[in-house]
Amino acid sequence: MKIAVCIKRVPDSETRVKIGSNGKSLDEAGVKFVMNPYDEFAVEEALRRKEKAGTGEVVVLSLGPAAAQETIRTALAMGADRGVLLQAEKSPTDPFEAAKLIAAALKPDSWDLVLFGRMAIDDYNHQVGAIVAELLGLPCVTAVSHLDIDGAKGVAEREIEGGIEVVEFPLPAVLTVDKGLNEPRYPALKGIMAAKKKPLEVKAVEPGAGSLETVALAPPPDRKEGKIVGEGVGAVGELVRLLREEAKVL
Amino acid sequence: MSKVLAVLEQRDGALRKVSFEVVTAARRLGASVDAVVCSASGPEGCATAVAERAKSGGYDVLVFAATATGKDLAPRVAAKLGVGVATDVTDLTSDGGTIVATRPVYAGKALQKVKVLGKPAIVSVRPNVFTPDAQAAQVKPETLSVASPGRVVIREIKAAPAGMLDVAEAQVIISGGRGLKEPANFKVLEELAGAFGGRAAVGASRAVVDAGWRAHADQVGQTGKTVSPSLYIAIGISGAIQHLAGMRTSKVIVAINKDKDAPIFKVADYGVVGDLFEIVPKLTEEIRKLHG
Ligand SMILES: Cc1cc2nc3c(=O)[nH]c(=O)nc-3n(C[C@H](O)[C@H](O)[C@H](O)COP(=O)(O)OP(=O)(O)OC[C@H]3O[C@@H](n4cnc5c(N)ncnc54)[C@H](O)[C@@H]3O)c2cc1C
Ligand SMILES: Nc1ncnc2c1ncn2[C@@H]1O[C@H](COP(=O)(O)O)[C@@H](O)[C@H]1O
């Protein structure tokens, strides 16, 4: 099994968001960066598929700043075989531009599977995987939470509103993965040592401007100061009155 | 005036509620709104049909729903048209013909305003945000014929048990967390949800989903669903940032928690401090009286 996994370096979900002085981007000072959590599921799935097949290669690819090498090393420490960094100042705002660069880097090889996260937890775009699939001409299933592969045929489950969709697809394919697919492993010390010696190729890329332009990044409007209605059962009557008369939701 | 294409969703032959929201959002952007829906088919066939219609109809803007289906379909269509999508939009304006979309990013800790400059401009709108207007209900979408379903085939939809509303679509969400102590106690929340007469769904924090008490489909938050109901009641949930990511755009938030310093009270419009096992049954009783 030859598998590519696309991983993005993102701010940790606990990060306190401070807006940069340009009013358009995150102030990165003091921010801790991690591998996008959904991409961890993708790396884990790739490793398990390769282990099951008994042979193959897992290649991780990231588009981003030089510091994304750390993210790649984390995946190598989990067990991936080699890494590729498409180095740019930052990941482009327009996911189509990111997808173009990623697709171009994947194109020369042939892959059994190309895995992505369902979404990146910084931009919440939900689309790079599906666009790459289209650009590579491969079938794509998004938000996979259960996966069976038998030879060149796959069956995946994905959550939709009010149910679970079961889909069949042929390999090679692009999958974007959701939580629930597996439990990602932690890199062991041995893995961390080994990762230092694994190949990591760096290629400079120039993302285009694309068709989405950030004009402002701002904190969400503060929710109107809430109130503690009271303590214990005694407060329930007043709560119901407020929901009915003030909030008008009952 | 822009020419706008609203891409609707249906299941079992009926338009889904979110479809009327899509039409409402689309109408904000253009005088001329056409609506289409795919006949039952795989995602690839539908994407091809929508992209072809977008091209042949010369649309300036395409509006999708940011549902599981819409988030799958929109980027497929976008890729065929060579543009990106502004996903999960909560506000939409047209500034001299340029679409400006507002969307939550960084787990809802910031709002990004983006100009959507693509030809066409493609957006998907967050469910429950654009309140459908009366005219939207009149929409008669054209059903696109799909030439070939494509390589990805939907074999079956395992529906949630009948009568169960999905948290992403419910008007009222009663969510429970670790404070419930054990899975069987979720019955208390189901009874409260029941008192709302079919409008409410029971949600969950990740802590109880990871513990196997509730299904992942019910999880609200960064690694679960993003919801915007009219009323969100968080019960025995501390209010971790990743939970807030999924529910902070709810219209009214109520928190019930025994710890008066729990972070959930910072986003709640109304809070009651105390033991949920005493408070919730009483609340159920009061709601039943109202709806009785
Ligand atoms: C990458 C990442 C993604 C995550 N994604 C999500 C996500 O999508 N959704 C999510 O919810 N979490 C998510 N989390 C987890 C999150 O950080 C919290 O751990 C989780 O939300 C806590 O769940 P909880 O509020 O149920 O439990 P706790 O934090 O343990 O809170 C339990 C609360 O119950 C109260 N309580 C206890 N007994 C009673 C009683 N008798 N009556 C009233 N109140 C009582 C307590 O005071 C406490 O506030 C994520 C974490 C990470 C790192
Ligand atoms: N800059 C990037 N480098 C590598 N992979 C990326 C990048 N941006 C997005 N991805 C992949 O695409 C998925 C979806 O991202 P998004 O469409 O931005 O929400 C992520 O989970 C990653 O797998």
Side-chain angles (χ1 to χ4, degrees):
Chain A
M1 274 252 170
K2 191 163 168 190
I3 307 175
V5 188
C6 295
I7 59 175
K8 187 177 187 187
R9 173 182 183 262
V10 299
D12 183 87
S13 67
E14 301 279 350
T15 304
R16 263 194 60 224
V17 167
K18 229 183 104 204
I19 313 291
S21 55
N22 63 3
K24 291 183 187 182
S25 58
L26 180 72
D27 178 354
E28 295 191 355
V31 171
K32 179 183 165 212
F33 284 87
V34 297
M35 188 191 314
N36 183 39
Y38 291 101
D39 305 351
E40 292 181 2
F41 301 119
V43 172
E44 178 63 35
E45 194 61 27
L47 296 174
R48 289 190 191 186
R49 293 286 153 193
K50 179 189 147 183
E51 284 158 8
K52 199 165 164 206
T55 141
E57 188 184 27
V58 173
V59 180
V60 291
L61 182 143
S62 188
L63 162 62
Q69 290 190 30
E70 289 163 33
T71 318
I72 294 175
R73 292 281 174 211
T74 304
L76 297 177
M78 286 171 75
D81 299 296
R82 62 182 173 92
V84 178
L85 172 64
L86 304 178
Q87 190 172 330
E89 207 182 310
K90 60 188 190 64
S91 189
T93 305
D94 185 342
F96 187 78
E97 296 302 318
K100 266 202 307 209
L101 295 169
I102 291 172
L106 293 171
K107 188 132 203 168
D109 288 289
S110 63
W111 307 96
D112 297 302
L113 284 174
V114 182
L115 303 183
F116 291 82
R118 166 167 79 100
M119 64 167 195
I121 65 159
D122 52 355
D123 60 30
Y124 272 59
N125 276 328
H126 272 278
Q127 50 189 301
V128 171
I131 299 177
V132 168
E134 189 68 37
L135 297 176
L136 294 177
L138 293 176
C140 173
V141 183
T142 62
V144 171
S145 56
H146 185 85
L147 180 65
D148 286 315
I149 292 177
D150 186 5
K153 200 184 106 186
V155 177
E157 291 188 0
R158 48 191 308 273
E159 269 178 22
I160 57 171
E161 289 76 14
I164 290 176
E165 208 170 70
V166 184
V167 299
E168 272 178 20
F169 61 94
L171 266 62
V174 171
L175 305 176
T176 84
V177 308
D178 202 353
K179 176 173 177 267
L181 185 61
N182 54 44
E183 223 20 88
R185 68 194 69 184
Y186 288 103
L189 187 61
K190 204 170 128 231
I192 297 170
M193 297 312 289
K196 292 188 175 141
K197 294 192 212 88
K198 289 180 178 172
L200 197 173
E201 182 191 355
V202 180
K203 295 183 202 164
V205 292
E206 288 281 344
S211 62
L212 293 172
E213 180 191 326
T214 305
V215 287
L217 188 70
D222 276 332
R223 291 192 68 94
K224 187 173 58 58
E225 184 73 31
K227 55 182 147 200
I228 300 286
V229 179
E231 286 195 19
V233 224
V236 171
E238 177 63 1
L239 172 67
V240 171
R241 189 192 68 78
L242 287 166
L243 290 176
R244 208 173 135 84
E245 294 172 13
E246 191 176 89
K248 300 193 166 58
V249 287
L250 293 182
Chain B
M1 258 311 177
S2 306
K3 241 186 122 184
V4 185
L5 186 66
V7 183
L8 310 190
E9 279 176 32
Q10 63 181 6
R11 205 179 292 167
D12 303 328
L15 285 182
R16 295 172 71 70
K17 178 176 151 278
V18 72
S19 292
F20 303 111
E21 301 169 11
V22 170
V23 173
T24 305
R27 283 165 41 81
R28 279 208 198 169
L29 298 176
S32 151
V33 174
D34 293 330
V36 293
V37 68
C38 283
S39 56
S41 75
E44 293 190 323
C46 181
T48 304
V50 173
E52 273 166 14
R53 169 51 57 91
K55 278 190 230 165
S56 66
Y59 291 97
D60 305 298
V61 190
L62 268 54
V63 185
F64 293 81
T67 54
T69 309
K71 282 186 206 149
D72 182 83
L73 182 60
R76 294 179 193 267
V77 173
K80 292 179 194 290
L81 300 173
V83 295
V85 183
T87 309
D88 212 15
V89 164
T90 54
D91 195 16
L92 206 48
T93 56
S94 170
D95 176 7
T98 303
I99 307 292
V100 180
T102 304
R103 43 189 309 273
V105 292
Y106 298 112
K109 287 180 279 187
L111 291 177
Q112 180 193 39
K113 259 196 178 150
V114 284
K115 282 190 192 161
V116 193
L117 303 168
K119 297 266 170 280
I122 305 186
V123 301
S124 66
V125 296
R126 178 175 288 193
N128 275 331
V129 171
F130 293 85
T131 312
D133 54 31
Q135 230 177 315
Q138 308 297 318
V139 67
K140 296 269 182 302
E142 177 197 339
T143 303
L144 296 177
S145 63
V146 171
S148 142
R151 296 161 292 186
V152 176
V153 181
I154 301 174
R155 198 166 67 181
E156 108 182 80
I157 293 179
K158 294 189 205 162
M164 282 241 306
L165 207 54
D166 192 90
V167 286
E169 296 178 310
Q171 285 296 303
V172 177
I173 298 174
I174 316 293
S175 268
R178 192 137 48 192
L180 268 291
K181 303 273 188 302
E182 52 178 293
N185 292 336
F186 268 83
K187 191 158 162 280
V188 184
L189 305 197
E190 274 151 16
E191 281 170 3
L192 175 54
F196 283 90
R199 285 197 300 142
V202 174
S205 73
R206 174 165 170 179
V208 300
V209 170
D210 284 355
W213 300 2
R214 303 297 290 180
H216 180 246
D218 301 338
Q219 183 182 319
V220 173
Q222 188 177 287
T223 38
K225 286 183 178 148
T226 305
V227 299
S228 294
S230 320
L231 176 60
Y232 188 91
I233 309 186
I235 301 172
I237 291 180
S238 59
I241 187 75
Q242 298 92 350
H243 188 79
L244 303 186
M247 46 65 80
R248 69 180 306 151
T249 55
S250 303
K251 284 171 199 91
V252 175
I253 299 172
V254 172
I256 300 171
N257 196 303
K258 69 175 184 190
D259 172 9
K260 69 170 181 15
D261 297 320
I264 190 73
F265 286 123
K266 293 212 171 66
V267 298
D269 300 285
Y270 305 105
V272 177
V273 180
D275 184 2
L276 72 93
F277 296 104
E278 292 170 17
I279 295 165
V280 178
K282 177 71 180 163
L283 182 58
T284 306
E285 193 186 310
E286 293 291 320
I287 303 282
R288 277 203 191 117
K289 273 191 216 156
L290 283 180
H291 291 247

